[in-house]
Amino acid sequence: MGIVTSNSANNVQLFLKAKNLTDCFDFIKSVSGLFGNSKVINRLMRANCLQP
């Protein structure tokens, strides 16, 4: 499982570390712009042979 966010990857890492959740996620993908997440999610789903 992973995280796709418009926040910086560093901020997400700090949050996960503070909550002891770093081992729960395989990747963090930081994208610029608020509306770029859907493209990244669709690309990751295709790359991993997942259905929407």
Side-chain angles (χ1 to χ4, degrees), residues 1-3 16 19-27:
M1 182 165 38
I3 297 172
L16 293 176
K19 302 295 182 181
N20 295 319
L21 295 172
T22 53
D23 294 335
C24 296
F25 298 95
D26 299 318
F27 66 88

Side-chain angles (χ1 to χ4, degrees), residues 20-51:
N20 295 319
L21 295 172
T22 53
D23 294 335
C24 296
F25 298 95
D26 299 318
F27 66 88
I28 299 170
K29 179 68 176 168
S30 179
V31 295
S32 61
L34 184 59
F35 301 106
N37 291 356
S38 63
K39 291 179 184 178
V40 173
I41 291 169
N42 288 332
R43 197 175 306 130
L44 286 168
M45 288 178 66
R46 280 193 305 273
N48 292 289
C49 301
L50 299 172
Q51 296 292 324

Side-chain angles (χ1 to χ4, degrees), residues 6-26:
S6 57
N7 288 314
S8 73
N10 188 50
N11 283 346
V12 176
Q13 283 284 5
L14 290 172
F15 174 83
L16 293 176
K17 187 174 182 179
K19 302 295 182 181
N20 295 319
L21 295 172
T22 53
D23 294 335
C24 296
F25 298 95
D26 299 318

